Amino acid sequence: MHKNKITQALLLAAGISLVATSFSTMAANVPAGVKLAAKQELVRGNGTEVASLDPHKTEGVPESHVIRDLLEGLVNQDAEGNTIPGVAERWETTDNKTFTFYLRKDAKWSNGDPVTADDFVYSFQRVVDPATASPYSWYLEMTTMTNAADIIAGKKDKSTLGVKAIDAHTFQVHLENAVPYFVMMMGHTTVKPVHKATVEKFGDQWTKPENFVGNGAFVVSNWVVNERIEMTPNKYYWDNAHTVLTKVTFLPIENQVAEMNRFLSGELDFTYEISNEHFRSLKKEHPESLQVKGNLCTYYYNFNTHKKPFDDVRVRKAISYAIDRHIVTDALLGQGQKPAYFLTPEIIAGFSPTLPAYGKLTQKERNAKAKELLAEAGYNKSNPLKFSLLYNTSENHKKLAVAIASMWKKTLGVDVTLENQEWKTYLETKKQGNFEASRAGWCGDYNEPSTFTSLMEGSNTTGGIHYQSAAYDELIKRGIETTSAKERTELYYAQEALLAKDMPIAPIYQYVMARLVNPHVGGYAANNAEDKLYSKDMYIIAE
């Protein structure tokens, strides 16, 4: 890796002002001596059918994987997870409040139109516009972008957002508070641009292959719902000369065993994930294809604190305490996952919290405490606790839910009804609050603790969170406003301590990303902690 990339990431993380100057091209750099296959087509497993391909109307990981190939924001990431130029070839700030991005003059949309600063002004305004109903509008509020909060709340017009086009290739953003990691945040799906004329002409139909206009390395060529999304290179992409693949296909396979079998039969080049129960056999029989890496994600169960029985903190704590996380990570998963007792995973940069008190107990002690709490809340053999647990379609989620429900039954006498919904319905059910408890996972949008702790802020219902705490919101506010990195870190720890006290969620484990990757796939980013995999960086090696 080039030294300037490392320096860039470190300076940004430290909050030091800088001007990004020269970077080498990241895309598909094929090492000397590597012989490429005659057929350069990649097939990727993607877990489920995407809810949308509109970056301002999505919130899931499957959608981000596809959109990352179709649309390019101000910045990208390299294979190691460092922030590098995208449409912006450089940027500068003197105070971490005003950021000026200089766009590359050869960036074009797939219809040949130039990508301009006005495209980013339009797109950012579209995200915060209440009429868009973006599930991630809060993300711009968390940047403290000027007037974002008031626009989202309907108090100000979208035209007052703190963004402007200085000229066709100079885009400026104004924040209300200094945010040293702001440039990192610009790598997220929600802040990718859309083509104004196309969106206005076709409305919600703009993402159909026949209408689609994007500025990424690929364009949609075919989309068969619940079967496949196919894409081909965007000939107008500024770095198209370095794109090696001629076709990329995403397959929405929800059953991990079926996905594994299709990989082993040669139909897929890499999977979305793997079946938990087959991990050990795959490690033994196909070690050359098994890829395991740390991941900025936490798996948890979410309680609806506004509905019985989970409006009672004693019930929430009892249910959380009675989950034997070591059985989950060691026996049920066994891929290197770590038990989680807080929302933010320890792999995140600069995060080293102490375990909350319940995390320091033995499981026997936690179970005893859980029984006491449930009895205090009025539940016993004659009045057993009953609730439903929602999860999205996945064999892995189902197996964990069955196992954990069994723990609750054995330890606490709880009767749990498991409720399964497909991805799009599941997201909407959680958003509307029509659940008692639900399976959930959160993956960081950038490598900094606030990408997790901000999820629990009161007005944020992304991912079906319905926790509302004035005390927590005050800690979030102070964390955004402070200019001291040390104080900000202490506030993150305080936020986690309050979550352990209120228990609106039950953290279960910190992810690793385990998948099958055919050794003939070159350019696979095995060390990117956010699992940002750009197809433009990949190629197929001759076997």
Side-chain angles (χ1 to χ4, degrees):
M1 184 195 312
H2 295 281
K3 183 180 178 182
N4 59 334
K5 293 181 183 177
I6 300 173
T7 304
Q8 168 85 357
L10 292 175
L11 289 175
L12 284 169
I16 298 172
S17 303
L18 75 162
V19 177
T21 51
S22 60
F23 293 84
S24 64
T25 301
M26 175 180 67
N29 291 316
V30 182
V34 171
K35 185 179 179 182
L36 294 175
K39 187 177 181 181
Q40 289 295 318
E41 297 183 3
L42 181 75
V43 182
R44 303 174 53 162
N46 203 41
T48 190
E49 176 61 28
V50 297
S52 171
L53 287 183
D54 186 328
H56 307 155
K57 297 191 176 184
T58 60
E59 58 185 297
V61 172
E63 291 82 3
S64 290
H65 281 315
V66 180
I67 291 170
R68 198 172 292 125
D69 282 352
L70 299 173
L71 296 166
E72 183 170 80
L74 295 167
V75 298
N76 293 324
Q77 283 190 5
D78 67 10
E80 305 298 320
N82 297 305
T83 298
I84 64 169
V87 175
E89 56 187 357
R90 63 186 180 91
W91 50 87
E92 63 187 22
T93 183
T94 57
D95 58 3
N96 286 317
K97 291 177 73 174
T98 297
F99 292 81
T100 304
F101 295 88
Y102 298 92
L103 312 187
R104 44 179 96 247
K105 293 176 182 173
D106 55 349
K108 293 182 178 180
W109 294 96
S110 55
N111 66 351
D113 289 351
V115 178
T116 68
D118 284 324
D119 292 320
F120 283 94
V121 170
Y122 168 75
S123 298
F124 281 36
Q125 289 177 348
R126 183 173 182 256
V127 173
V128 296
D129 185 351
T132 305
S134 172
Y136 248 92
S137 60
W138 62 272
Y139 189 76
L140 268 65
E141 182 178 345
M142 290 307 301
T143 68
T144 78
M145 204 170 291
T146 301
N147 292 329
D150 284 343
I151 298 167
I152 293 167
K155 297 177 182 177
K156 290 185 179 179
D157 187 78
K158 64 183 178 182
S159 62
T160 65
L161 186 67
V163 293
K164 65 179 177 180
I166 304 297
D167 58 39
H169 296 99
T170 310
F171 175 63
Q172 196 167 78
V173 181
H174 296 278
L175 310 181
E176 292 172 0
N177 298 297
V179 178
Y181 46 85
F182 174 75
V183 175
M184 288 183 184
M185 296 182 75
M186 292 298 96
H188 191 258
T189 303
T190 300
V191 286
K192 292 186 185 298
V194 294
H195 188 257
K196 180 180 179 180
T198 301
V199 174
E200 292 185 342
K201 180 178 180 180
F202 297 107
D204 289 341
Q205 304 302 305
W206 79 267
T207 56
K208 285 190 171 183
E210 62 268 27
N211 302 332
F212 185 85
V213 174
N215 72 324
F218 295 86
V219 292
V220 183
S221 57
N222 184 35
W223 184 359
V224 181
V225 175
N226 290 320
E227 185 181 312
R228 63 184 52 232
I229 293 176
E230 296 174 336
M231 51 184 74
T232 53
N234 170 12
K235 66 180 180 180
Y236 289 109
Y237 179 60
W238 65 270
D239 200 26
N240 186 52
H242 286 91
T243 300
V244 176
L245 298 173
T246 59
K247 182 179 180 182
V248 179
T249 303
F250 287 84
L251 302 181
I253 308 169
E254 293 182 336
N255 185 296
Q256 289 84 15
V257 176
E259 187 184 38
M260 174 188 70
N261 289 333
R262 291 180 72 171
F263 173 88
L264 295 175
S265 68
E267 291 182 59
L268 280 106
D269 295 299
F270 63 86
T271 65
Y272 181 73
E273 54 189 353
I274 59 174
S275 166
N276 293 331
E277 64 184 303
H278 288 87
F279 178 82
R280 289 176 178 82
S281 62
L282 288 169
K283 187 175 183 180
K284 180 180 179 181
E285 297 168 17
H286 300 278
E288 76 290 343
S289 297
L290 189 62
Q291 288 270 4
V292 182
K293 62 179 178 180
N295 206 9
L296 289 181
C297 298
T298 297
Y299 194 103
Y300 60 92
Y301 282 166
N302 179 24
F303 303 125
N304 190 335
T305 60
H306 303 294
K307 278 190 174 183
K308 289 186 177 298
F310 295 112
D311 57 346
D312 188 327
V313 67
R314 296 170 298 186
V315 176
R316 301 196 296 268
K317 285 186 173 181
I319 292 302
S320 177
Y321 291 2
I323 299 172
D324 191 329
R325 291 158 174 81
H326 283 282
I327 285 180
V328 172
T329 58
D330 301 344
L332 299 176
L333 300 174
Q335 301 163 3
Q337 291 90 344
K338 296 179 68 174
Y341 299 96
F342 24 73
L343 175 60
T344 308
E346 291 159 289
I347 192 175
I348 207 106
F351 186 73
S352 303
T354 56
L355 277 178
Y358 82 98
K360 297 175 182 177
L361 301 175
T362 65
Q363 189 56 46
K364 185 177 180 180
E365 290 169 333
R366 272 194 291 273
N367 288 346
K369 185 64 177 173
K371 290 175 184 176
E372 288 176 19
L373 288 165
L374 212 56
E376 285 177 21
Y379 296 99
N380 47 47
K381 285 185 179 180
S382 59
N383 181 35
L385 175 64
K386 298 178 181 179
F387 65 89
S388 63
L389 175 66
L390 172 69
Y391 67 95
N392 57 296
T393 305
S394 161
E395 284 302 306
N396 284 350
H397 298 328
K398 180 180 179 180
K399 288 185 173 76
L400 284 184
V402 168
I404 292 172
S406 177
M407 294 176 192
W408 289 329
K409 181 69 173 177
K410 180 180 178 182
T411 304
L412 304 174
V414 172
D415 291 325
V416 182
T417 301
L418 301 183
E419 183 181 356
N420 160 241
Q421 293 179 351
E422 57 87 20
W423 179 245
K424 199 169 181 178
T425 305
Y426 153 87
L427 289 175
E428 187 60 26
T429 298
K430 292 207 300 174
K431 180 180 178 181
Q432 297 300 328
N434 295 328
F435 69 96
E436 292 175 322
S438 72
R439 169 266 154 193
W442 189 253
C443 294
D445 296 321
Y446 48 96
N447 196 346
E448 208 273 343
S450 62
T451 189
F452 284 88
T453 59
S454 63
L455 178 65
M456 308 303 295
E457 192 267 335
S459 63
N460 188 356
T461 58
T462 302
I465 297 294
H466 295 272
Y467 172 57
Q468 292 176 333
S469 163
Y472 190 87
D473 291 354
E474 177 61 24
L475 290 172
I476 288 281
K477 182 174 181 288
R478 287 170 56 195
I480 291 171
E481 292 175 350
T482 183
T483 57
S484 164
K486 183 176 184 295
E487 183 183 359
R488 188 182 302 115
T489 299
E490 291 304 316
L491 287 164
Y492 293 147
Y493 295 157
Q495 290 160 17
E496 288 286 359
L498 188 53
L499 293 181
K501 178 186 174 193
D502 291 350
M503 203 66 72
I505 64 170
I508 299 175
Y509 68 84
Q510 299 172 25
Y511 281 57
V512 292
M513 175 52 68
R515 62 163 57 96
L516 292 166
V517 181
N518 192 308
H520 72 208
V521 177
Y524 172 79
N527 297 315
N528 187 299
E530 291 179 61
D531 201 39
K532 290 190 173 180
L533 308 173
Y534 299 83
S535 297
K536 68 186 178 68
D537 301 337
M538 301 185 213
Y539 49 89
I540 307 299
I541 302 167
E543 296 183 28

